[in-house]
Amino acid sequence: MPELPEVETVCRGLALKLLGRRLQHVEQRRANLRFPFPEGFAERLTGRRIESIRRRAKYIVIDLDDGNVLLVHLGMSGSMVVNEKRPGLLDRHDHVVFDIDNGTCVRFNDARRFGMMDLVPAASLNDHKLIRGLGLEPLDPAFDGLSLATMLKGRKTSVKLAIMDQRLVVGVGNIYASEALFRAGISPRRRAGTVQGERAQKLAAAIKQVLKDAIKAGGSSLRDYVQANGELGYFQHRWKVYDREGEACRICGGPIKRITQGARSTFYCPHDQR
Ligand SMILES: [Zn+2]
């Protein structure tokens, strides 16, 4: 499933190709993805100029020149495939085809159809049912040790589950949660409410760093990405703890331990994480 760094990279890749361009023709090839497309979807997009492309959590937000935004989620398996020209044959999972005014073709391909698209006024985006409950952006300056400490205060759940709670902070998936906690030296089992002060500072910084590192790794493969990004995968394959049960900790050499929290695997070093 595409995570925050992958979605950020898709946004940057699309921006390189599409900013300031017009949607000359939009072909909607089925009635629904995870949800039905909005009424008049293709017609409302046709002729619009793309003003900016940004990200909110794992949503791609494409600002149009009529004050609306095209909201896109890639779901489990969705991708935006960019080609210099429209291919002669479309794939059966190409559900929306955007022909750009310079001949570029962008196809939204999604075999499992857990993705979604909607058209909403930019001014009311924050009230959209999928957006309004979302927590802080981890890469936003407003997310720091202090705001993290405030959101964790009094919480009895484990810190790992708390930082994966999208209502508190968005985009910290299972892998990034394990990696950030290792980097901060905090046990994933620690009660969330006890992560305050310096611990919260360290954890906020670690979350930002693991996400930035992953985006950086993605940026270096951006060229491939916008040519044909059928397979998203994870950019960073050399995890420090994730999927390394029984292997040597990169700090103390002791074995990495695996536990289950909220039905997901957590990996950590019991010696270095308290
Ligand atoms: Zn260790």
Side-chain angles (χ1 to χ4, degrees):
M1 187 192 305
E3 294 289 344
L4 184 150
E6 287 84 8
V7 177
E8 177 68 26
T9 300
V10 171
C11 286
R12 293 180 189 186
L14 289 174
L16 281 177
K17 299 284 182 179
L18 303 183
L19 271 193
R21 310 251 47 131
R22 281 192 188 276
L23 300 170
Q24 197 160 63
H25 180 250
V26 178
E27 186 181 341
Q28 176 194 329
R29 294 161 51 81
R30 53 177 299 119
N32 65 294
L33 296 168
R34 183 175 165 200
F35 306 114
F37 283 94
E39 198 80 23
F41 178 74
E43 293 76 15
R44 288 169 65 193
L45 285 171
T46 304
R48 299 279 56 84
R49 195 177 65 234
I50 294 169
E51 306 266 288
S52 74
I53 299 178
R54 53 201 167 99
R55 179 187 57 71
R56 173 68 175 118
K58 295 201 289 181
Y59 292 89
I60 301 168
V61 179
I62 302 177
D63 288 282
L64 306 169
D65 64 348
D66 64 351
N68 285 317
V69 301
L70 170 59
L71 185 65
V72 180
H73 196 285
L74 299 173
M76 306 284 285
S77 57
S79 63
M80 289 287 199
V81 186
V82 180
N83 295 102
E84 297 302 322
K85 282 197 295 195
R86 188 184 176 109
L89 274 181
L90 295 176
D91 184 87
R92 69 189 183 96
H93 300 301
D94 289 338
H95 303 310
V96 184
V97 183
F98 303 93
D99 289 300
I100 315 302
D101 60 0
N102 62 353
T104 299
C105 179
V106 181
R107 292 174 288 147
F108 177 73
N109 186 286
D110 186 4
R112 295 175 67 182
R113 299 201 304 271
F114 281 106
M116 61 77 62
M117 287 194 194
D118 203 357
L119 262 176
V120 293
S124 61
L125 178 64
N126 289 335
D127 301 323
H128 191 276
K129 64 179 179 190
L130 298 171
I131 302 292
R132 65 180 171 230
L134 296 174
L136 285 179
E137 282 291 332
L139 297 178
D140 194 292
F143 178 76
D144 59 10
L146 205 58
S147 57
L148 178 61
T150 304
M151 69 177 75
L152 296 182
K153 195 162 189 184
R155 291 193 181 264
K156 294 181 173 65
T157 179
S158 70
V159 62
K160 161 111 182 310
L161 292 181
I163 60 174
M164 288 180 66
D165 185 340
Q166 303 296 303
R167 295 166 299 183
L168 300 177
V169 53
V170 299
V172 184
N174 195 44
I175 297 177
Y176 298 113
S178 280
E179 292 294 309
L181 286 163
F182 176 74
R183 210 181 278 229
I186 296 171
S187 168
R189 309 173 66 162
R190 174 178 276 277
R191 185 192 280 213
T194 68
V195 177
Q196 296 289 314
E198 196 189 335
R199 276 201 187 94
Q201 302 273 3
K202 276 189 180 165
L203 182 54
I207 288 171
K208 286 177 193 280
Q209 202 56 53
V210 294
L211 293 172
K212 280 182 185 167
D213 286 353
I215 291 168
K216 203 170 159 193
S220 61
S221 62
L222 200 57
R223 191 180 298 265
D224 303 329
Y225 216 83
V226 293
Q227 295 297 333
N229 57 349
E231 291 298 320
L232 285 165
Y234 285 91
F235 295 141
Q236 193 178 317
H237 298 287
R238 293 199 55 214
W239 306 112
K240 289 194 166 68
V241 285
Y242 186 79
D243 206 20
R244 298 193 64 235
E245 184 181 12
E247 292 177 37
C249 169
R250 300 206 202 276
I251 297 175
C252 71
I256 297 298
K257 194 173 172 185
R258 183 179 72 85
I259 56 171
T260 301
Q261 294 177 294
R264 310 288 300 274
S265 286
T266 300
F267 300 85
Y268 73 112
C269 172
H271 179 263
D272 293 315
Q273 294 176 252
R274 299 299 174 95

